[in-house]
Amino acid sequence: MRAWKCVTWGGPNYLELGSVPEPECDAGQVEITVNACGVNFADLLLISGQFQVRPELPFVPGMEVSGRITRLGPDCEMFSLGQKAAAYVKHGGYAEKVVAPVSQVTSIPESIPLPVAAAFPVSYGSAELALDRAGLAAGEVVVIGGAAGAVGTACIELAKQRGAEVIACVGDDAKEAIARACGADHIVSSHSRHLYDDLREIAPDGVNVIIDPVGGIFFEESLRALGYGGRVVSLGFASGKIPSIRLNHFLVRHQSLVGSSFGLTCVKDPDRISAKWPLLVEMLEAGHINPRVSQTRSFAELPKALQMLKDRKVAGRIVIS
Ligand SMILES: NC(=O)c1ccc[n+]([C@@H]2O[C@H](COP(=O)([O-])OP(=O)(O)OC[C@H]3O[C@@H](n4cnc5c(N)ncnc54)[C@H](OP(=O)(O)O)[C@@H]3O)[C@@H](O)[C@H]2O)c1
């Protein structure tokens, strides 16, 4: 079958379009014939060898897919052939077919277009897990970094569903418009040299929660604006800068810092992930959450799409279909 292959560690232009054998479908796995694949920031880390796991070369990248179920391994009776589905896979999504463990697969209502479904499982699965890790409650103030990105937009929508007040940190006017459309109450600029002051003006008593997929200056400045009992959830380092922390900061303000890893939780605690799908899909079908597909690109355009993400030119999700 046709697939994009990572044959050597590097940037998007090192990927090769070629053919690979069809995947095996073992017990507890379903095969999805891929219609669309969400382009993730973590794809860039994976193909450059900077991700927390390094698959053996060569491998097929791509971690967020939608399509129809075309094969069922043993013990997969909860799904049926031909069913519309979306899934998180460790890699393998930029191909005609992929297999996924059932806990990482969700059925998708017929009313949802497949390219939209491809922007759903990783973004919303990761965002929901992160907000759980924060214990975000109604009435609390949350600041979200990279808020117009795929995970960021999902965080805004799910935080609003929880009744929180959302401050979105974004890089330009187009991204501000997306964040506002997702329901953000306040906007701050990720290029501001006074992010702490900007946050303090909006939340004089301090913010309750920081959701941080960016690291670097965003982490350092927003941490200064975290109030008594506040929680930080570290999700990633899109800025490329991994901050260091001074532990006394957390003690004297009675605060906590937790990491949240969607990918590892899929492996270590799959029931926690599968338990989330029905509620998330219900919100999707009801229109309470709306995966933002900013562009749909052809299969051949994958390197270009990844480069746009790298250059910080994407709001929401680019989808390959
Ligand atoms: N831990 C988990 O469970 C989990 C799951 C999924 C993703 N992630 C991580 O979450 C982060 C966001 O993923 P995503 O798919 O939402 O990516 P994305 O759509 O590309 O969003 C990333 C955002 O980060 C901001 N950013 C700030 N500095 C940047 C820089 N130097 N280069 C690029 N972007 C920069 C950009 O916002 P502005 O330009 O508006 O400032 C951009 O919109 C990544 O680090 C990813 O690895 C973690």
Side-chain angles (χ1 to χ4, degrees), residues 81-294:
L81 291 174
Q83 196 169 1
K84 210 170 186 179
Y88 159 68
V89 289
K90 266 193 306 187
H91 51 83
Y94 297 122
E96 288 176 62
K97 293 175 180 176
V98 69
V99 294
V102 285
S103 59
Q104 292 167 212
V105 181
T106 177
S107 63
I108 292 291
E110 283 299 330
S111 58
I112 306 296
L114 282 169
V116 173
F120 171 68
V122 172
S123 318
Y124 288 85
S126 306
E128 180 63 13
L129 185 64
L131 299 185
D132 267 2
R133 294 282 281 155
L136 181 68
E140 290 194 308
V141 180
V142 55
V143 56
I144 299 170
V151 173
T153 48
C155 283
I156 297 175
E157 289 190 327
L158 291 173
K160 291 310 296 177
Q161 286 298 311
R162 288 175 183 233
E165 186 175 339
V166 173
I167 307 172
C169 186
V170 301
D172 61 36
D173 291 351
K175 290 181 176 184
E176 171 173 347
I178 296 245
R180 287 210 186 274
C182 291
D185 300 287
H186 313 276
I187 301 289
V188 290
S189 167
S190 54
H191 302 293
S192 170
R193 291 219 219 124
H194 311 285
L195 185 54
Y196 164 74
D197 296 327
D198 300 345
L199 292 172
R200 262 337 246 206
E201 201 175 319
I202 297 166
D205 294 332
V207 302
N208 303 106
V209 169
I210 299 167
I211 300 291
D212 181 16
V214 175
I217 287 170
F218 172 76
F219 175 86
E220 286 159 13
E221 289 289 297
S222 58
L223 184 59
R224 291 175 63 209
L226 189 66
Y228 169 81
R231 291 89 70 199
V232 185
V233 182
S234 174
L235 271 181
F237 310 103
S239 66
K241 298 190 181 80
I242 302 176
S244 301
I245 54 165
R246 293 179 54 152
L247 204 50
N248 61 337
H249 188 107
F250 290 90
L251 168 61
V252 297
R253 295 187 187 180
H254 193 63
Q255 297 168 338
S256 47
L257 166 68
V258 292
S260 182
S261 170
F262 175 71
L264 193 59
T265 305
C266 284
V267 176
K268 297 283 188 191
D269 193 1
D271 291 348
R272 181 170 185 172
I273 300 301
S274 52
K276 288 290 183 192
W277 296 131
L279 174 68
L280 289 173
V281 170
E282 199 182 304
M283 286 195 265
L284 179 68
E285 192 167 24
H288 298 318
I289 56 175
N290 299 285
R292 287 338 200 247
V293 177
S294 54

Side-chain angles (χ1 to χ4, degrees), residues 60-76:
V60 177
M63 52 185 66
E64 192 175 34
V65 300
S66 67
R68 299 263 173 197
I69 294 179
T70 42
R71 216 164 13 137
L72 298 167
D75 307 326
C76 294

